[in-house]
C-alpha cells in the first residue's frame, strides 16, 4: 500500500460535492429555525397592556411609535427595558371606529404610527413554510449548478439552448411567407459559413426583427433559420427577462450572450421583444427601472459582439412602433421583415403543409377550406387541420372530408357545440328572431359577404346561435358602404328583436361591441366621417384613449360621430326589417323548425317574400376606400355571434 493516494483515484470529487452542499443546506435551514425561535421568544417579551393604559401612556408622552392592526396594536415606548432595547407593549383594540380621537392623539404625542393588516397565525405559518421551501429550492439549484454562487445560479436558470427540444424545422415547414423566407436565406448562408462572408467583407445584419401579429409563424421562421443552417437556437421570451428583482433581467441578457458566444455560429431568438424594448422612461418606477436596465444591457450586448462572430439575433414583435429607437438603430435590429397574416393562396399552402400527414378525401379541395378561413393565421389553420382530423377519427372515417373541416372551423370560431342544453321556448324564439334579423339584413344589403349558414343551436362561450358568413374571395379594401352594411347586419339581430318582440335582450353585447369598434375605426382611422374629415386620429379603438394630444372636444366629437354612424346603421336595419316583415316571420319559423339552415334555404325564403322596394345604394356620407386595412385587424368577418 502506497503512502500517497492520488486525489483522482477512486471517487472523483464530483459526486461528493452535492453531498457537502446538501449538508450546508440542512445547516442553513436549522439556523433559520433557530433565528425564528429567537424572534418568537423576543415576541413573548412584549408587555400586555389594556387599551386604557395605552391611551394614558400615549397622552403622558411615553409612547414613541405605534402599529395599529385590525384587532390589536403594538407600540414601542420611549423607555428602555433591562437589556437596553426599547420596551414594547401590546394592547387589544377594535379599530378606529371605537376611538375616533385616537388619530389626533397619535399626531400630537407619538413620533410615528401606521395602520397594518393583522397577519393571522395561519398566514404567517404559510409564509414561514414558503420561505423554507424557497430556500431549499434555491440550494437545490445551487447544487445542480455545480457549486456556483447563488446569484449566478439564479440568473442562469432560464436561458437554455432549445435546439435539442424537437424535430429539426426547415423552410419546408413554413408556408405562404415566400418573401420573408427569401430575405432570411442570406442569414442562413451567413450562419452556415461566417468565414466566407467575413472574407468578402459583406455587411451582415446583426439583428433581424420579425414584425407581425400572433400566430403568423415568427417563431417558426426563426426555428427554421437555425434548422436550415444547422446551428444552435437560443430562445427566450421578452417576458422571461422581466423579473421581480432589478438586475436579474440584465444578468440574464449577459448570460445569454455569453452562452451564445461560446457556441457561435448560432441564433438567438427573443420573442415578444416589446416587453423589454419599450421606449425608455424618464421618471422610473421599480418595474420600469428593471426594464430599462435590461434594455440597456441588451443594447450593450448587441454592440459588444463583432458582426462577423457568427451570432445573429432575431426578435419578434407585433408592435414595432413601441420599440425604443435605440433598438432599431443600424448595428442592432436594423433589418425588419414583415410576417403578415396569410392570404387565400397562403392559407391553402399552410393547410397543405399541415395536412401532409393527414389522409384527405380525394374530393376535398383545400382551396375551398382556405376560402372559408379568411382572417385565420397559420396557428389557427394548424389547429383547424388537427380539429378536422380528430372529428373524422371520432366518426370512424379513414379520410378527412370537407364536412370535418367545416365542423372544425365552427368549433374553433364558436367553441364546441352544446346540443344537449335545454333552451326555454321563449329564449329559443328570441334567438331565432335575432339570428333571422342578422341574416335577413345582411342578405338584403348589396355588397356584403354572403350568408353561409344560420343556426340557433347553442354553443359554448354563452352564444345563443350564430350567423356565419362566407367571404368568396379575400377582401383587403372595405368601402364606406360595405362597412355601413356590415354595421347594419351586426345591429340587425337586436333590431329584429325590437320589431318582433318589442324589447331587446342582454345577449347581444358582442354584436354591439363589434359594431362600436368598427364605427370607431371608420371615424378615427379611415376618415369616413364627413364631420371630422379625412384625418387619422390614431386613437386606440379599444379604450378610446390616447392619441397625440387631441382635445377633449375632438374626443367628444368622435364619440358623437360614432353614435351617429351606429344610429344610421340601426335605422337602416329597422327600415329594411319593417319592409320585409313577412320574410322575417317566415325565416324565424323556419329556424325554429330546423334549427340550422344553409344559404340555399335562406334564399328560398327570401325569394318567396321579395323586397317590395330595394334600398337605394350608398346610405352614408361618402368617402374613398380605407387604406388597406388587413382582414385580420378588422376582425369582424367570418362568424356573427348571437
Ligand atoms: P408566432 O410566433 O408568429 O406567434 P408561431 O410561429 O408560434 O407564431 O406559430 C404557431 C404555429 O402555427 C406554428 O408552430 C405552426 O405550426 C403554425 N404556423 C404559423 N404560421 C405558419 C406558416 N406560415 N406556415 C406553416 N405553419 C405555420
Ligand atoms: Mg411566437
Ligand atoms: Zn347577434
Amino acid at each position: 500500500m502506497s503512502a500517497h493516494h492520488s486525489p483522482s483515484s477512486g471517487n472523483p470529487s464530483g459526486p461528493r460535492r452535492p453531498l457537502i452542499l446538501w449538508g450546508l443546506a440542512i445547516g442553513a435551514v436549522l439556523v433559520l429555525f433557530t433565528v425564528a425561535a429567537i424572534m418568537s421568544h423576543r415576541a413573548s417579551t412584549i408587555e400586555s397592556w389594556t387599551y386604557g393604559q395605552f391611551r394614558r401612556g400615549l397622552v403622558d408622552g411615553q409612547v414613541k411609535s405605534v402599529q395599529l392592526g385590525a384587532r390589536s396594536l403594538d407600540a414601542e415606548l420611549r423607555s428602555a427595558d433591562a437589556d437596553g432595547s426599547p420596551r414594547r407593549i401590546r394592547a387589544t383594540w377594535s379599530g378606529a371606529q371605537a376611538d375616533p380621537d385616537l388619530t389626533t392623539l397619535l399626531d400630537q404625542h407619538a413620533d410615528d404610527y401606521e395602520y397594518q393588516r393583522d397577519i393571522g397565525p395561519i398566514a404567517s405559518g404559510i409564509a414561514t413554510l414558503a420561505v423554507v421551501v424557497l430556500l431549499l429550492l434555491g440550494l437545490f439549484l445551487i447544487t445542480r449548478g455545480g457549486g456556483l454562487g447563488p446569484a449566478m445560479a439564479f440568473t442562469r436558470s432560464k436561458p437554455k439552448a432549445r435546439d435539442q427540444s424537437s424535430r429539426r424545422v426547415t423552410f419546408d415547414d413554413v408556408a405562404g411567407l415566400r418573401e420573408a423566407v427569401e430575405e432570411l436565406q442570406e442569414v442562413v448562408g451567413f450562419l452556415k459559413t461566417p468565414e466566407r462572408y467575413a472574407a468578402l467583407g459583406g455587411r451582415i445584419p446583426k439583428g433581424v426583427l420579425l414584425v407581425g401579429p400572433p400566430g403568423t409563424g415568427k417563431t417558426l421562421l426563426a426555428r427554421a433559420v437555425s434548422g436550415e443552417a444547422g446551428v444552435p437556437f437560443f430562445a427566450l421570451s421578452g417576458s422571461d427577462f422581466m423579473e421581480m428583482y432589478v438586475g436579474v433581467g440584465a444578468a440574464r441578457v449577459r448570460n445569454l450572450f455569453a452562452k451564445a458566444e461560446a457556441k457561435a455560429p448560432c441564433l438567438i431568438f427573443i420573442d415578444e421583444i416589446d416587453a423589454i424594448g419599450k421606449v425608455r422612461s424618464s421618471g422610473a418606477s421599480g418595474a420600469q427601472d428593471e426594464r430599462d436596465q435590461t434594455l440597456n444591457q441588451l443594447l450593450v450586448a448587441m454592440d459588444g459582439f463583432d458582426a462577423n462572430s457568427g451570432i445573429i439575433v432575431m426578435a419578434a414583435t407585433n408592435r414595432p412602433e413601441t420599440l425604443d429607437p435605440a433598438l432599431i438603430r443600424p448595428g442592432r435590429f436594423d433589418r425588419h421583415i414583415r410576417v403578415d397574416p396569410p392570404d387565400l393562396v397562403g392559407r391553402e399552402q399552410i393547410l397543405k403543409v399541415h395536412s401532409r400527414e393527414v389522409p384527405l378525401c380525394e374530393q376535398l379541395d383545400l382551396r375551398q377550406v382556405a376560402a372559408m378561413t379568411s382572417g385565420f393565421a397559420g396557428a389557427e389553420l394548424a389547429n383547424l387541420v388537427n380539429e378536422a382530423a380528430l372529428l373524422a377519427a371520432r366518426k370512424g372515417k379513414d379520410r378527412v372530408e370537407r364536412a370535418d373541416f367545416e365542423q372544425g372551423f365552427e368549433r374553433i370560431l364558436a367553441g364546441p357545440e352544446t346540443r344537449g342544453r335545454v333552451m326555454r321556448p321563449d329564449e329559443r324564439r328570441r334567438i331565432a328572431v335575432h339570428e333571422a334579423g342578422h341574416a335577413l339584413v345582411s342578405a338584403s344589403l348589396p355588397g356584403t359577404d354572403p350568408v353561409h349558414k344560420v343556426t340557433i343551436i347553442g354553443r359554448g362561450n354563452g352564444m345563443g346561435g350564430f350567423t356565419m358568413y362566407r367571404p368568396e374571395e379575400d377582401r383587403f379594401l372595405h368601402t364606406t358602404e360595405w362597412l355601413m352594411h356590415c354595421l347594419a347586419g351586426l345591429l340587425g339581430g337586436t333590431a329584429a328583436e325590437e320589431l318582433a318582440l318589442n324589447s331587446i335582450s342582454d345577449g347581444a353585447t358582442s354584436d354591439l361591441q363589434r359594431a362600436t369598434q368598427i364605427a370607431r375605426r371608420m371615424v378615427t382611422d379611415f376618415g369616413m366621417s364627413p364631420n371630422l374629415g379625412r384625418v387619422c386620429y390614431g386613437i386606440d379603438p379599444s379604450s378610446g384613449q390616447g392619441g397625440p394630444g387631441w382635445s377633449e372636444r375632438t374626443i367628444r366629437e368622435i364619440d358623437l360621430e360614432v353614435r351617429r354612424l351606429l344610429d344610421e346603421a340601426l335605422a337602416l336595419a329597422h327600415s329594411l326589417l319593417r319592409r320585409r316583415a313577412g320574410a322575417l316571420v317566415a325565416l324565424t319559423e323556419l329556424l325554429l323548425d330546423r334549427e340550422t339552415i344553409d344559404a340555399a334555404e335562406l334564399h328560398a325564403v327570401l325569394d318567396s317574400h321579395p323586397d317590395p322596394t330595394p334600398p337605394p345604394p350608398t346610405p352614408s356620407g361618402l368617402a374613398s376606400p380605407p387604406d388597406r386595412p388587413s382582414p385580420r385587424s378588422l376582425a369582424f368577418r367570418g362568424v356573427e355571434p348571437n
Side-chain angles (χ1 to χ4, degrees):
M1 199 189 227
S2 67
H4 288 286
H5 68 266
S6 121
S8 61
S9 70
N11 268 349
S13 61
R16 279 254 159 98
R17 214 145 147 203
L19 267 185
I20 295 166
L21 282 158
W22 273 108
L24 277 176
I26 291 162
V29 171
L30 286 177
V31 167
L32 188 87
F33 272 119
T34 320
V35 170
I38 291 171
M39 297 279 281
S40 61
H41 176 71
R42 277 188 58 88
S44 70
T45 63
I46 293 175
E47 291 170 49
S48 205
W49 281 13
T50 65
Y51 186 66
Q53 255 179 312
F54 161 74
R55 205 169 190 278
R56 280 191 298 278
L58 178 65
V59 176
D60 289 348
Q62 292 180 33
V63 176
K64 188 157 172 257
S65 64
V66 188
Q67 293 183 324
L68 300 135
R71 268 166 275 120
S72 66
L73 55 83
D74 287 336
E76 202 175 289
L77 302 186
R78 296 194 197 280
S79 54
D81 63 13
D83 63 353
S85 56
R87 275 170 73 199
R88 307 188 58 86
I89 64 109
R90 174 170 293 168
T92 51
W93 83 312
S94 47
Q97 308 93 306
D99 187 354
D101 301 334
L102 184 65
T103 313
T104 324
L105 291 179
L106 286 168
D107 279 332
Q108 287 169 359
H109 301 289
D111 293 356
D112 204 5
Y113 61 95
E114 64 181 343
Y115 289 90
Q116 292 193 319
R117 288 218 347 246
D118 275 347
I119 298 179
I122 296 177
S124 65
I126 289 173
T128 316
L129 199 71
V131 169
V132 172
V133 167
L134 277 180
L135 201 83
L136 282 175
L137 202 74
L139 284 161
F140 177 67
L141 286 176
I142 296 169
T143 56
R144 293 290 304 267
L148 289 159
M152 285 303 288
F154 191 31
T155 57
R156 254 160 192 265
S157 55
K158 277 217 174 164
K160 269 187 197 137
R162 293 182 189 160
D163 53 331
Q164 73 283 41
S165 64
S166 56
R167 189 180 70 79
R168 201 177 113 179
V169 178
T170 67
F171 284 145
D172 288 342
D173 299 301
V174 183
L177 293 170
R178 201 175 44 82
E179 285 169 37
V181 167
E182 264 167 30
E183 286 206 51
L184 288 169
Q185 287 290 4
E186 190 193 355
V187 175
V188 171
F190 168 71
L191 286 170
K192 269 186 180 157
T193 48
E195 325 75 55
R196 216 181 65 205
Y197 277 78
L200 291 173
R203 205 179 78 80
I204 288 300
K206 272 186 183 177
V208 178
L209 188 64
L210 302 175
V211 179
T216 46
K218 299 182 292 299
T219 310
L220 186 73
L221 269 175
R223 295 193 67 92
V225 168
S226 90
E228 289 280 337
V231 300
F233 181 68
F234 294 91
L236 261 182
S237 168
S239 53
D240 288 345
F241 290 116
M242 303 311 295
E243 289 286 337
M244 270 184 291
Y245 304 109
V246 172
V248 173
R252 285 207 173 129
V253 172
R254 264 195 306 278
N255 215 286
L256 177 64
F257 279 83
K259 274 197 176 181
E261 237 153 318
K263 286 230 184 173
C266 68
L267 182 74
I268 294 177
F269 178 62
I270 304 175
D271 211 347
E272 300 171 49
I273 194 164
D274 37 286
I276 39 173
K278 283 214 192 87
V279 179
R280 275 165 296 180
S281 49
S282 36
S285 74
Q288 274 170 344
D289 203 32
E290 159 69 348
R291 197 177 63 213
D292 294 353
Q293 278 202 26
T294 309
L295 176 55
N296 286 335
Q297 185 62 53
L298 181 62
L299 297 176
V300 169
M302 287 200 69
D303 294 344
F305 69 83
D306 179 19
N308 292 321
S309 65
I311 301 176
I312 296 274
V313 189
M314 287 177 76
T317 181
N318 188 21
R319 288 170 297 172
E321 68 285 350
T322 65
L323 293 181
D324 195 296
L327 207 49
I328 47 184
R329 217 162 272 157
R332 293 165 184 164
F333 292 102
D334 49 4
R335 185 82 58 100
H336 294 192
I337 298 182
R338 285 216 54 93
V339 186
D340 282 323
D343 61 6
L344 182 65
V345 178
R347 289 200 301 276
E348 187 184 351
Q349 288 168 352
I350 295 173
L351 287 166
K352 277 214 180 92
V353 163
H354 284 277
S355 47
R356 276 188 301 216
E357 258 121 66
V358 177
L360 300 177
C361 154
E362 289 92 53
Q363 289 90 343
L364 177 74
D365 184 358
L366 284 177
R367 169 65 63 109
Q368 287 173 349
V369 178
M372 78 181 170
T373 48
S374 174
F376 266 29
E380 284 147 335
L381 293 169
N383 189 10
L384 174 60
V385 173
N386 192 36
E387 279 284 337
L390 285 176
L391 285 166
R394 189 172 311 156
K395 290 179 213 143
K397 301 185 200 167
D398 53 5
R399 312 232 146 232
V400 184
E401 296 170 8
R402 180 179 167 134
D404 303 314
F405 274 96
E406 286 188 1
Q407 220 177 324
F409 176 61
E410 289 167 24
R411 247 172 198 255
I412 291 172
L413 284 178
E417 273 183 351
T418 51
R419 243 171 226 281
R421 206 191 119 202
V422 193
M423 231 189 291
R424 288 165 50 120
D426 58 330
E427 279 183 8
R428 195 163 170 272
R429 172 164 290 275
R430 185 174 284 279
I431 291 169
V433 167
H434 182 104
E435 297 309 329
H438 280 309
L440 180 54
V441 172
S442 300
S444 311
L445 292 172
T448 54
D449 288 332
V451 174
H452 165 53
K453 181 174 166 178
V454 190
T455 178
I456 59 167
I457 296 172
R459 310 256 152 172
N461 306 350
M463 280 166 52
F466 60 85
T467 300
M468 193 195 274
Y469 299 88
R470 173 174 294 175
E472 235 124 33
E473 86 284 32
D474 272 5
R475 182 190 292 278
F476 290 113
L477 298 178
H478 304 78
T479 60
T480 313
E481 182 182 38
W482 195 97
L483 290 166
M484 280 307 285
H485 289 177
C486 178
L487 288 182
L490 280 165
L491 298 174
T494 50
E497 284 185 65
E498 247 174 314
L499 288 182
L501 305 164
N502 291 321
S503 65
I504 63 171
S505 66
D506 62 356
T509 318
S510 67
D511 290 350
L512 302 187
Q513 269 171 357
R514 266 201 249 184
T516 311
Q517 200 180 338
I518 294 167
R520 190 166 275 283
R521 292 205 63 185
M522 289 172 73
V523 176
T524 61
D525 293 354
F526 307 153
M528 289 181 176
S529 150
N531 296 350
L532 279 156
R534 212 143 302 163
V535 178
C536 175
Y537 288 89
I539 288 171
D540 181 5
S542 55
S543 67
Q545 297 296 307
W550 297 109
S551 70
E552 286 279 322
R553 184 153 154 234
T554 306
I555 304 237
R556 163 122 186 96
E557 267 176 47
I558 288 171
D559 288 342
L560 288 175
E561 272 304 283
V562 170
R563 219 3 240 289
R564 192 184 63 77
L565 283 180
L566 289 173
D567 284 348
E568 200 177 304
L570 184 64
L572 179 64
H574 267 145
S575 71
L576 202 150
L577 289 170
R578 246 187 237 112
R579 271 204 323 271
R580 306 199 72 176
L584 181 63
V585 171
L587 209 50
T588 306
E589 294 308 324
L590 188 64
L591 273 172
L592 284 170
D593 185 37
R594 303 279 262 302
E595 296 204 323
T596 301
I597 58 174
D598 62 19
E601 290 166 313
L602 170 70
H603 284 286
V605 174
L606 296 189
D607 290 345
S608 58
H609 299 81
D611 190 352
T613 44
T618 319
S620 162
L622 297 161
S624 58
D627 192 12
R628 199 180 186 277
S630 80
R632 204 180 161 77
S633 68
L634 292 166
F636 51 79
R637 313 183 77 200
V639 75
E640 188 348 5
N642 296 316

